[in-house]
Amino acid sequence: IRRQDSDYELWRQSMVWHSWKPTRFPEMIVQARTEDDVRGAVEYAAHNGLKIAVRSGGHNPLGPSLRDGGICLDLSALTDIRIDASKRIASIQTGARSMQLINALAPHGLCFPTPHCASVGMGGFLLGGGLGWNHPYRGGVATFNIEAAELITADGKRVLASADENPDLLWAVRGGGPGLFAVVSRMHLKVYAAPKTILVSSYI
C-alpha cells in the first residue's frame, strides 16, 4: 500500500491498535504473507535505500511501527505455530497472538508466560522484554525463553541466532525491541508444564 493509494490512511491507522494514532507516515506499508515476502521487502528496501519499521501486533502505545518515510513491514499475518511437546519447544512466527499460543499449547499440557492481553502479537512482546503471566516461575521475563530466532538481516540473508550460532544476535534479540537491526520471522521458545490449578483473585 503506497502513500498515494486511496485506502492508505485506513491501512496506516490500522497499524496501531490503540485509539491514538501517531502523526507519522511511512511511504509504503507491506503486509507479508510468507517469510519469503519478508525477505523480499528487506531486499527491496536495501535496493532503494529505504528504512524499515516492523509491526507484529501493533499494541505498543507509542506506535513504533509508524515512521515517516520508508516501509512499515506488517508481520501480523504470519501466525504459524508448531509445538514439539517432547522437546518442550514452541516454534512461532512473530505475528502469532498470545491467545493463539495458549490454545496451541493447552492440548499438550504446556504453557508459556504470555502477555496479559489475548490479542498482543508475540513478536513485539518478546523483543521488547515480555512481562507476562507468572513470569517469575517461567524462566523470568518472557524474552529469556527465546532459545533461538530466525532473522533476516539488512542484506537479505537468513540467519539463525542461538547459543551455538550467532550468539551475539540472540543476545540482541532478547530485548532489542523495535530498534532491532534485523527482522525476526520466527522464534523458538522454551515452554513449560501447565499448572494443574490456577488461583484467581479480584480486587475492587
Side-chain angles (χ1 to χ4, degrees), residues 123-183:
F125 169 74
L126 287 161
L127 294 179
L131 188 62
W133 290 114
N134 295 319
H135 67 275
Y137 312 103
R138 302 288 183 265
V141 290
T143 194
F144 293 142
N145 292 301
I146 302 174
E147 296 284 282
E150 298 174 26
L151 304 93
I152 297 169
T153 58
D155 55 2
K157 291 182 180 176
R158 295 179 188 268
V159 175
L160 179 69
S162 68
D164 299 320
E165 295 183 54
N166 305 298
D168 53 340
L169 287 179
L170 179 62
W171 178 87
V173 165
R174 290 175 164 177
L180 190 69
F181 42 82
V183 179

Side-chain angles (χ1 to χ4, degrees), residues 59-82:
H59 267 256
N60 190 322
L62 300 179
S65 58
L66 289 181
R67 291 282 180 250
D68 287 326
I71 294 174
C72 170
L73 180 54
D74 179 16
L75 306 184
S76 63
L78 301 181
T79 60
D80 180 63
I81 298 175
R82 302 169 192 172

Side-chain angles (χ1 to χ4, degrees), residues 8-16 22 24-25 29 66:
Y8 169 85
E9 182 57 17
L10 180 65
W11 274 94
R12 188 191 74 86
Q13 292 202 26
S14 73
M15 294 297 102
V16 177
R24 299 189 296 265
F25 300 88
I29 298 168
L66 289 181

Side-chain angles (χ1 to χ4, degrees), residues 26-105:
E27 289 303 312
M28 185 185 305
I29 298 168
V30 175
Q31 187 175 62
R33 299 289 183 182
T34 67
E35 293 181 24
D36 285 336
D37 289 347
V38 178
R39 185 177 183 181
V42 171
E43 290 175 341
Y44 177 88
H47 182 73
N48 291 278
L50 299 171
K51 292 183 178 181
I52 288 181
V54 183
R55 173 189 188 263
S56 60
H59 267 256
N60 190 322
L62 300 179
S65 58
L66 289 181
R67 291 282 180 250
D68 287 326
I71 294 174
C72 170
L73 180 54
D74 179 16
L75 306 184
S76 63
L78 301 181
T79 60
D80 180 63
I81 298 175
R82 302 169 192 172
I83 309 298
D84 188 332
S86 63
K87 294 182 179 179
R88 289 196 176 178
I89 293 291
S91 172
I92 68 168
Q93 290 182 315
T94 46
R97 304 301 199 275
S98 172
M99 186 55 74
Q100 290 174 314
L101 179 57
I102 290 171
N103 288 337
L105 289 170

